Amino acid sequence: MDKSLNDIKDVIQPTYSTRDIMRIDDIIGHRHDLMGRPYTVGCVGLNRVKRTSYINVIIQTLAHIRPIRNFLLTLSNLDEQPPLVRKLSMVVRRMWHAWRFKAHISPHECVQEIVVLSKGRFGLDEEADPFELLVWMLNTLHGMVRKKKTSVVYETVRGEMQVATRKVQDVSQDDMVEDVEATISTMPFLALSLELPPTPLFTNQSTDDEDKQANIPQVALGTLLQRYDGTTMVETNGLVWQYTVTNLPMYIVCHVKRFTKHNMLEKNLTVVNFPVRNVPFGDLLHVRGSTSVTYDLVVNVCHVGHQGKSAVDGAVLTEFEESPFFAYVRQGENSWFRVHDLWVEPVMPQMLFLSDSYIQVWQRN
């Protein structure tokens, strides 16, 4: 084959050696495509196929979880892999390629495979829940690439917790909840769902934007994590639940439950405050043997707008309603980028908590 075609071949189907993987996170600064447009390796914009910003942010998320990314970059015998694994691998390889012809990528083959494989659960014509897609992707990829009973997917993001349940009617007024015999079970988890405090019923009805911002409640990430510290009681459906995390995964996925209805019409606008480095998940969750373990944020998927979907059928959608999800992704040690479909821009770390966080991925130090 003519060696002059090697550049084209590398762009179409990039390959990575072990040495490339070891150095890939050290690539800093801008590169330029053939048109002179700047781009950052790993933080590449994705074309949006109709209303699929929810798919784009999950592709960005998986491309920045290092063990999963490295697995997809070095996967051999691509032609023999299941279609979803092969097409996702190709998108991630192109995102991390250092010598691109264009500053953006079209993930349409991967998107179409998701639509087909999910049997229409995740479609093109309407924005869906990216958290549901993330869980579906993790479980589906695990089933496709696992060896024996494990896979790089579950080894990376799956933790374990102990769940104690008690019947409310078994607790008398004179008894403490802890004194009632509980049914205890151990279960794995792929994400920690964080319940926001209810939206206040009565707020200032001022039309001034600054007054509206002042009325939005705020809560610390550590407060939301108390649900899983082994001491907090949660009562639902006549049962009292008590969650104790017993094993922290390498990467923790947190899901901020902003939407109160399945159709994503009602949204909780509470601001979640969090640091981006050295969050002591081990201390916050009282995990035995992991009290000194800290985590850094690597991905923060956000939702923009006051509700998940247009409440009026046939209404003309705004730009935000057309593409309501975007992601902040970390590149290197402390460089952050906001990736909203094709639009990529650097941001300061202090800007991350100003948006409505929906999915966060934390990496163990």
Side-chain angles (χ1 to χ4, degrees), residues 10 13-27 31 41 66 69-70 73-74 93 96-99:
D10 288 342
Q13 187 168 327
T15 57
Y16 297 83
S17 65
T18 303
R19 184 182 179 187
D20 293 332
I21 298 299
M22 294 176 62
R23 300 168 55 187
I24 198 168
D25 291 307
D26 297 328
I27 301 176
R31 299 296 175 96
V41 177
R66 287 183 184 177
R69 177 203 66 185
N70 294 346
L73 293 182
T74 57
R93 287 169 186 241
W96 286 93
H97 189 46
W99 306 103

Side-chain angles (χ1 to χ4, degrees), residues 109-351:
E109 290 187 358
C110 183
V111 171
Q112 290 286 357
E113 185 61 29
I114 290 173
V115 174
V116 173
L117 197 59
S118 69
K119 298 180 180 179
R121 177 182 176 186
F122 304 106
L124 305 177
D125 298 323
E126 189 175 46
E127 293 283 347
D129 188 339
F131 176 68
E132 291 185 4
L133 174 62
L134 176 60
V135 173
W136 180 86
M137 288 281 286
L138 293 174
N139 285 320
T140 302
L141 291 173
H142 163 74
M144 291 178 173
V145 304
R146 67 180 175 182
K147 295 181 179 179
K148 296 182 179 179
K149 293 185 178 181
T150 188
S151 71
V152 65
V153 178
Y154 277 11
E155 290 175 354
T156 302
V157 300
R158 190 168 76 161
E160 192 173 83
M161 69 171 64
Q162 189 179 78
V163 182
T165 58
R166 300 173 176 86
K167 291 184 179 180
V168 176
Q169 54 265 35
D170 290 343
V171 184
S172 67
Q173 295 181 352
D174 299 328
D175 292 334
M176 296 294 291
V177 175
E178 293 86 348
D179 296 333
V180 178
E181 185 176 355
T183 301
I184 299 177
S185 60
T186 301
M187 58 180 292
F189 67 88
L190 294 178
L192 298 177
S193 290
L194 308 180
E195 296 278 354
L196 292 174
T199 304
L201 293 177
F202 302 100
T203 59
N204 188 350
Q205 299 300 319
S206 172
T207 57
D208 187 270
D209 288 341
E210 292 186 1
D211 288 342
K212 287 184 177 180
Q213 292 293 329
N215 287 328
I216 297 178
Q218 301 186 32
V219 63
L221 177 66
T223 301
L224 299 180
L225 288 171
Q226 290 176 358
R227 181 186 181 94
Y228 302 99
D229 64 5
T231 60
T232 302
M233 303 291 180
V234 181
E235 183 178 339
T236 56
N237 300 324
L239 295 174
V240 175
W241 303 76
Q242 192 172 6
Y243 304 96
T244 306
V245 175
T246 56
N247 182 36
L248 289 171
M250 189 184 311
Y251 283 74
I252 297 176
V253 177
C254 291
H255 167 223
V256 181
K257 299 181 70 174
R258 291 200 173 272
F259 302 107
T260 56
K261 284 190 176 182
H262 181 68
N263 58 11
M264 298 177 64
L265 277 177
E266 296 182 8
K267 178 183 175 182
N268 189 321
L269 297 175
T270 300
V271 174
V272 179
N273 296 317
F274 54 89
V276 297
R277 305 297 295 265
N278 299 318
V279 175
F281 273 84
D283 287 337
L284 293 172
L285 300 176
H286 303 165
V287 181
R288 293 182 181 178
S290 301
T291 54
S292 61
V293 175
T294 61
Y295 285 75
D296 292 344
L297 186 67
V298 291
V299 179
N300 187 31
V301 173
C302 300
H303 180 273
V304 62
H306 293 285
Q307 58 187 22
K309 297 181 181 179
S310 175
V312 181
D313 292 337
V316 177
L317 300 177
T318 65
E319 179 184 355
F320 290 148
E321 289 173 330
E322 281 281 2
S323 181
F325 294 103
F326 66 91
Y328 292 109
V329 296
R330 195 186 79 190
Q331 183 74 338
E333 287 302 314
N334 203 33
S335 296
W336 283 91
F337 292 85
R338 170 175 166 152
V339 186
H340 196 165
D341 296 332
L342 289 175
W343 185 27
V344 181
E345 65 171 350
V347 297
M348 297 295 293
Q350 295 83 352
M351 302 294 291

